[in-house]
Amino acid sequence: MEPARLALIRGGTKDGPRSTGSGYLIGPRLVLTARHVLVDRETGEPWPKLSVQIGHPAQGPTRTAKAELLWTPPDELDVALLRIDQAMDIPGSVLWGRPAGRAPLPYAGLGYPKAAVVETREVENLRGTLSPLSGSGRHYVLDQGPAPEPGADGRNAWGGVSGAAVFCGHRLVGVVVQEPAAYGARRLLAVPAHSFAQDAGFLNHLAEHACALSELAAIGVPAPRAAPGTERTPAERALEQLLRPLFADPAARTAHARELAGELGYETADYTPTAADLVTLLLAHPRAHAALGQALAARAVDQAFRSCLTAFLTQARVLGRGPFLAPEEFDDLLYLLRGIRDEQSALLPQAARDALPYAALPGCLDRPRIEEHELADAVEALEELPDGEGIPEGSPPVPALLRLVEYVAAAVDGERQHELRAWSKRTADRIGIHGDALAERRMDAARWAERRRNSLVSRVVMELERDGAGDGDRYACRILLVRTDGTHRILKSPSSEPKTPREAASALAEAVGAARQEPGGHDHVPWVTVVVDRPGLHLAVDEWESGAPDDLLPPSPIGADYQLSLSCPDLDRLVATRGQDRERRWKKGRTSVVVTEPSCGDRDKLMHLLRTEHRDTARVVLHGPADQRQAWLEACLAYGVPVVLWDRDATGYDDADRLGELAPSDELDGLAERVRVFRSRTAAHPEERRARPSLVWEPEGSYPRTEQLHLRDPWRGTHAS
């Protein structure tokens, strides 16, 4: 890494810079950086003005040049090449590399993060550990040493380091592109150099500018050695004592240590480890102690050895020595979960929320579905969570991950179930979990799966609350799946940031997709209940459109896709008898209907009608003056009428026939579907619009109440720039 090649990149318009990032000079006129630094995020177009400052300001004067976007990969990988308008005379050339093996590598880089702003942007020396075992393989995971707090504006602390070159030793191995918000500035992601360095366009540009690409040399890590005895920590000495009973034969210890070092990706030439070296190896790699435990488990032929091994593994976890799965166990589980996710992408998040209701789950499990590239991070996060005490008392506690695996296994059939349960049993035996404890988790999982199969999702509930503190049309949004047995499950959003109508509709579409993956949900047209407060009853939620997934399918109103109705449970707090009245009307008045006509008179006469001859009626169709509709609607709901239909575009009684196509007085059970079909036809033929129907449908039984929605402004964005 050569500080003189550091680049500060600014993009913008004639009115000034709009984007700041980092880069690295890889040729006299070529700067490597992240693509998103160079483009307007709103339009996707490159900034018309790009400038680059070359050099480290602490090591002498820097030079500024104009630049143009020269190359981006055809597969939209987040890297780019800039060509500056003057050549920089910097001796030497860039060496390229690729991390090899599984051992964590120290890395370094230089960039201009927002957190390092004093009067101007200052340079930060990025440093930490690159772990080849973390992530999905599409990015390198960089665990940071320095981890600044986010700024007062909530933006990413590392904003500005996107485009920084990542070095392992003297070789460039990647480009920083992202800061995952969930890790609190402790982690960055980088695009691997090998993913773009063989692109023909990239190589042609390097050849044209006389800076040929060196071989991407494999970068390994020598096996770690122990420090002198006086410098070793109490934890190191404690682990060495726990290891002694496991290796009565020093030659066996040496053989195990060499084999373990090779399995973990370290270079083992001339590696003859002592007991202290083995401890150092165990502390250096996050999965080393688990891998050693897996190898030793095969030798646990007597109870004394088994007890010593369990004590070692337990103490290693108490000391915080990383995850409990060995590399092979981790890879096998990912393979099994990927196959299940491909068929049921909603199963893993659902099982996690039901199996671990009080755990702080990773963000990827707080959404209706999980993506394939998120599986590894999810498993790593779950490895750190306990589940409960051991059975019998004093045995090792069961990890939360094993409970989740048992729940997922119970929800699938055939070979997948057998393979997951076999994996769980092998892993539990290896780490010393008592058989009774695992059997207890398996029984819990079986009962959960049985309830899941026998209690279908009856409706999807979306709670909305307008963001009174913000500007524009934004809402707090929570989505629940309500089952036929009255239970419900909250599908937590990635954040509680207020959503636009389009964002709320998109979140709903994702939740409906998860509901359709539930047992029996594939062919069902979902019933969506939108919960609003009294002012929210006028919202045209049925006309909100979710974002189209691609150009092939145009956006569609959610009221055309789902049986969508409104609910206002807030009125229950204002009218104590409303719930009882509603249940009575459902039981006695399903076939009765009130259609308001001029003879109904004003609001007081309507209320009298609902108190007397229509005391049990379950349905009201509201016609009449638009300026009185809200008062009439609230009167109906206050008296417990569960179903109210009206045309929000109607101005008076003369518009009553506009709802005729819906047959509002016909069979009640088919009304919601008739409304959906009408909305769908209207969306397809907007020129023929006759009405804009709104439907309140208060469900039978008690509404699943959740805590009040609270709006907050979370950290925004994911890019590091």
Side-chain angles (χ1 to χ4, degrees), residues 575-607:
V575 183
T577 61
R578 184 181 180 233
Q580 298 173 354
D581 292 341
R582 182 173 60 247
E583 293 305 308
R584 185 190 69 251
R585 292 179 186 274
W586 273 124
K587 290 178 181 178
K588 298 183 177 181
R590 298 181 69 93
T591 60
S592 179
V593 59
V594 171
V595 180
T596 59
E597 300 172 345
S599 60
C600 290
D602 57 15
R603 174 176 175 271
D604 291 339
K605 291 182 179 179
L606 176 61
M607 294 173 67

Side-chain angles (χ1 to χ4, degrees), residues 242-249 252 256 292-313 429-430 432:
L242 289 170
L243 279 174
R244 289 188 185 281
L246 300 175
F247 293 109
D249 181 4
H256 271 288
L292 179 62
Q294 184 183 41
L296 292 177
R299 294 175 46 200
V301 293
D302 60 70
Q303 187 57 43
F305 189 91
R306 173 77 261 183
S307 297
C308 291
L309 179 58
T310 298
F312 160 72
L313 295 173
D429 288 346
R430 198 266 300 167

Side-chain angles (χ1 to χ4, degrees), residues 25 51 140 296 516 538 620 632:
L25 190 72
S51 66
Y140 289 142
L296 292 177
R516 281 179 164 150
H538 77 277
V620 173
W632 290 15

